[in-house]
Amino acid sequence: MLDRWTAQHEIVDNNGEIPVYFHINRKCHYMTMHWHEHIEMIYQLSGRMTATAQGEQYELKPGDMLIVNPNELHRTISLGADAPYVLIQISVQRLREMMPAFEIVHFKNYIPAKEISPFPEVIQAFQQMKQAYLSQDDGYTLLFMANLYKVLYLLYRNFAYQMRPDSDEGNNRDLQRIADVMEWIQNNYRQKLTLREAAGLLGISKEHFCRIFRKYTGQTFLEYLNCYRTSRFWEDMQTSGKSFTELMEQNGIFNYKVFIQTFRQMYGKTPRELRYGKRTSKA
């Protein structure tokens, strides 16, 4: 566990009466690289999604699962507008109550449908959680939690292993370094940031920095920086009537061509198409 990871890129809340976060996502999305202290389970209903977890890249198809252990770097990108999935996030505190030995349990990140199919109870439990949450009939929380326990039990018995507390010490040290750089980027992204500065922050060579950054994020330093600035641009665009030029300057974006390419990759459209619609989509 990375105890020093206090800054969280994503803050996770529960769903009212259910003591976990449960969501059925039906929209196109691009989630930048981040971490949190929750375990995250994604069950792909249809369509496709690409995901990066701990530097490994996966493509999720219908019936596939992604499990992100607490404090693991990850990002997800839906491929197309029709790629719904079920998302469950469970806090560390709740996990301790449900699984007393969870601190030494590590779940497999990617479980393809062919490996889940021998355990139809997992698929049935996801379906029952989904139906219980949508109907919210009297006592639905009991049905929901009963099925959540069933999913965790089956995943624990078949797709998890126990590890020594010090088994990932070296990896955790590098992950902490990357987390420090990501926090530095998030605090200073409006300014001009360079690869040399990022490597200097950790006291290592640019070559070594590039290797470990790509290993754990699946992106280069510049790709992550561009994606983070673009995600902040998108957030500001939702609540501001400022011009695109103003929003770009506000978020440290000065290369228009790279910005448009990144924005299209992340959101499937240009800023003009999202703000004004197709009729004014010409940049």
Side-chain angles (χ1 to χ4, degrees):
M1 297 294 291
L2 303 183
D3 294 330
R4 290 183 54 225
W5 285 25
T6 54
Q8 295 184 354
H9 184 78
E10 181 183 14
I11 305 300
V12 180
D13 294 319
N14 293 340
N15 291 88
E17 297 178 352
I18 299 176
V20 300
Y21 180 78
F22 182 83
H23 179 62
I24 304 169
N25 188 79
R26 296 184 174 88
K27 297 180 180 179
C28 179
H29 84 283
Y30 186 111
M31 179 64 74
T32 56
M33 191 66 68
H34 65 288
W35 66 90
H36 41 64
E37 292 185 352
H38 290 56
I39 190 170
E40 178 170 304
M41 294 185 288
I42 291 176
Y43 180 71
Q44 194 73 27
L45 297 173
S46 63
R48 295 182 301 147
M49 171 195 296
T50 59
T52 302
Q54 296 299 87
E56 296 292 330
Q57 298 188 37
Y58 310 100
E59 181 175 319
L60 273 68
K61 297 176 287 297
D64 291 354
M65 277 192 68
L66 180 76
I67 305 178
V68 181
N69 296 280
N71 288 328
E72 288 187 340
L73 291 172
H74 62 286
R75 66 170 176 158
T76 53
I77 309 168
S78 60
L79 301 177
D82 186 21
Y85 60 89
V86 173
L87 169 68
I88 302 175
Q89 294 168 320
I90 311 171
S91 70
V92 167
Q93 179 181 355
R94 182 64 56 182
L95 282 168
R96 287 195 182 101
E97 298 171 1
M98 303 171 83
M99 301 173 58
F102 97 94
E103 301 281 3
I104 60 172
V105 173
H106 188 91
F107 288 95
K108 183 178 180 181
N109 286 128
Y110 172 63
I111 311 174
K114 65 181 180 181
E115 294 184 18
I116 299 176
S117 58
F119 309 97
E121 302 98 321
V122 173
I123 301 170
Q124 293 167 7
F126 267 100
Q127 291 295 338
Q128 290 192 6
M129 280 190 287
K130 176 184 171 183
Q131 292 169 9
Y133 180 74
L134 292 175
S135 67
Q136 300 202 1
D137 292 334
D138 184 31
Y140 82 95
T141 57
L142 296 174
L143 178 61
F144 182 95
M145 293 304 295
N147 281 281
L148 179 58
Y149 270 98
K150 182 184 292 186
V151 167
L152 285 172
Y153 170 75
L154 291 168
L155 293 177
Y156 171 75
R157 289 298 303 270
N158 299 285
F159 302 103
Y161 62 90
Q162 293 189 1
M163 57 184 182
R164 298 198 331 265
D166 61 346
S167 61
D168 276 346
E169 190 172 328
N171 285 339
N172 282 352
R173 185 164 48 249
D174 283 341
L175 277 170
Q176 180 60 61
R177 287 173 152 184
I178 299 305
D180 289 342
V181 172
M182 291 171 67
E183 185 174 0
W184 172 70
I185 290 172
Q186 292 165 21
N187 291 333
N188 300 281
Y189 67 94
R190 294 182 177 89
Q191 305 172 26
K192 183 178 179 181
L193 305 179
T194 67
L195 175 60
R196 183 182 297 276
E197 289 176 310
L201 187 70
L202 304 186
I204 59 179
S205 69
K206 290 192 297 182
E207 293 74 19
H208 185 200
F209 174 84
C210 289
R211 284 196 299 272
I212 65 172
F213 195 89
R214 179 179 278 280
K215 175 182 177 181
Y216 290 106
T217 68
Q219 294 177 292
T220 66
F221 167 76
L222 188 57
E223 287 171 341
Y224 175 80
L225 178 59
N226 287 336
C227 286
Y228 187 77
R229 285 170 169 164
T230 301
S231 70
R232 297 308 300 263
F233 174 99
W234 183 85
E235 291 174 6
D236 290 344
M237 192 178 77
Q238 309 307 302
T239 58
S240 172
K242 290 182 179 180
S243 69
F244 294 142
T245 300
E246 290 176 300
L247 290 175
M248 287 175 63
E249 292 177 355
Q250 179 176 302
N251 287 286
I253 301 168
F254 298 101
N255 188 320
Y256 180 77
K257 182 178 179 180
V258 171
F259 164 68
I260 288 297
Q261 290 174 342
T262 304
F263 196 97
R264 277 191 174 130
Q265 178 192 29
M266 293 173 66
Y267 302 108
K269 297 180 181 181
T270 67
R272 286 186 179 278
E273 288 171 342
L274 287 180
R275 178 179 275 185
Y276 303 116
K278 287 287 187 181
R279 286 179 299 175
T280 57
S281 61
K282 292 184 179 180

